[in-house]
Amino acid sequence: MESVVYQSPVGGIKISADDDAIIEACFTRETKSGTTENMLIQQCISELESYFQGDLKQFTIPIKLTGTDFQNRVWSELLKIPYGKTISYSELAIRLGDLKCIRAAGTANGKNKIPIIVPCHRVIGKDGSLVGFGGGLDKKEWLLKHEGIIRSEQMKIFA
């Protein structure tokens, strides 16, 4: 496994890959960027840069998510949320087949090791509030603004 820290507009993202796929691309406080010969990590950085430039709406990099069956079901549902769209945590639970699993779905959402690519930032509160994001609500807000989901003036209602 190889890792590198990529400095994005929303801070450091630690990207790790095995021989077949990206296994982690999560926020980090590490500031030391690195270089790599790993083609998967290079492709991941290239796709993230295209995303941040507004040119990429769907990632193609191979990813490998490791978790329980339930967590994998949650993450699969996250991958179905299109760029520029959001769903609520209750909608996520309904898509999973049981509204009562809303808290478990939220917990699984928070254990996502590949945010942005597996777009957990696109899940919001039923009332439209920005709740729960492992990278911090400031990053969630930035990502949603970047995708055109919210405008700056909308944020005043959440303050």
Side-chain angles (χ1 to χ4, degrees):
M1 179 178 85
E2 187 172 344
S3 298
V4 71
V5 175
Y6 161 66
Q7 293 302 324
S8 80
V10 289
I13 299 174
K14 182 178 181 185
I15 303 169
S16 303
D18 64 13
D19 294 336
D20 307 312
I22 297 298
I23 56 173
E24 177 183 48
C26 60
F27 298 107
T28 182
R29 289 196 165 105
E30 292 180 47
T31 56
K32 183 181 171 193
S33 298
T35 58
T36 181
E37 304 262 330
N38 184 300
M39 295 304 289
L40 285 168
I41 292 176
Q42 288 178 5
Q43 180 186 346
C44 185
I45 291 170
S46 176
E47 287 191 18
L48 283 167
E49 287 176 343
S50 292
Y51 167 82
F52 287 121
Q53 291 168 5
D55 298 329
L56 181 82
K57 299 199 181 341
Q58 185 156 356
F59 293 89
T60 61
I61 186 81
I63 59 172
K64 187 184 304 176
L65 296 161
T66 306
T68 66
D69 288 343
F70 180 77
Q71 288 169 335
N72 284 310
R73 283 181 49 222
V74 170
W75 300 329
S76 291
E77 284 302 320
L78 297 177
L79 288 166
K80 296 175 187 175
I81 306 169
Y83 180 97
K85 302 289 182 189
T86 60
I87 65 170
S88 67
Y89 283 95
S90 56
E91 174 64 23
L92 177 59
I94 290 166
R95 289 183 181 192
L96 293 165
D98 184 1
L99 183 57
K100 292 182 280 195
C101 76
I102 189 169
R103 288 183 191 268
T107 299
N109 203 25
K111 293 187 186 278
N112 173 16
K113 291 185 179 180
I114 310 178
I116 301 176
I117 297 170
V118 178
C120 52
H121 62 280
R122 296 181 189 151
V123 183
I124 60 174
K126 192 173 187 175
D127 63 356
S129 61
L130 304 186
V131 294
F133 189 62
L137 291 181
D138 59 326
K139 289 177 177 59
K140 184 171 191 163
E141 178 184 341
W142 192 98
L143 293 166
L144 294 176
K145 282 180 181 177
H146 173 69
E147 292 186 15
I149 296 168
I150 56 174
R151 297 181 306 279
S152 295
E153 60 271 13
Q154 282 178 284
M155 290 314 302
K156 293 174 188 165
I157 64 172
F158 300 123

